[in-house]
Amino acid sequence: QVQFVESGGGLVQPGGSLRLSCAASGSVFPIGAMGWYRQAPGKQRDLVATITRGSSTNYADSVKGRFTISRDNAKNTVYLQMNSLKPEDTAVYYCYVNTNTNTYWGQGTQVTVSS
């Protein structure tokens, strides 16, 4: 069984910042890639950023230069620093972890960017 603890979502004004975190525990070892997707109302779930165990990163074009993904392998935790937030970043953000056999998803955290 896998458990996730996600935190850091909330309401922020345009131009503001938020930091999401997602800690995985349980039967998820060894962990490979980790990352974040997001889903806005009425839209599909889209990739935001990924990070390999060796810390190679990949970002959606829409967040490059504004978002930074990082991880702490000792804590099985992935982070997403989000700066210069825009209203179009509003969505539920889901973390995920890959193991050798499965992909596991967090429960999601709401991010709302609005004045």
Side-chain angles (χ1 to χ4, degrees):
Q1 195 164 357
V2 178
Q3 296 84 38
F4 290 88
V5 177
E6 291 190 39
S7 63
L11 173 64
V12 64
Q13 293 186 342
S17 298
L18 286 173
R19 187 185 192 225
L20 306 183
S21 66
C22 173
S25 62
S27 303
V28 288
F29 307 104
I31 292 177
M34 307 176 78
W36 297 89
Y37 277 67
R38 67 186 180 186
Q39 187 167 21
K43 296 189 177 181
Q44 66 182 19
R45 189 175 296 190
D46 291 327
L47 173 70
V48 177
T50 63
I51 184 167
T52 67
R53 188 167 184 84
S55 295
S56 295
T57 59
N58 183 48
Y59 296 92
D61 288 343
S62 59
V63 307
K64 283 180 180 176
R66 300 188 298 123
F67 290 11
T68 302
I69 190 170
S70 60
R71 64 189 285 170
D72 184 332
N73 290 333
K75 297 180 179 179
N76 296 317
T77 300
V78 61
Y79 306 96
L80 187 68
Q81 178 67 42
M82 305 185 293
N83 298 329
S84 302
L85 282 161
K86 304 175 181 181
E88 51 264 42
D89 295 317
T90 296
V92 178
Y93 284 69
Y94 296 91
C95 67
Y96 75 91
V97 299
N98 283 341
T99 67
N100 289 341
T101 57
N102 277 306
T103 298
Y104 298 93
W105 293 90
Q107 73 275 14
T109 185
Q110 177 69 45
V111 171
T112 302
V113 184
S114 175
S115 55

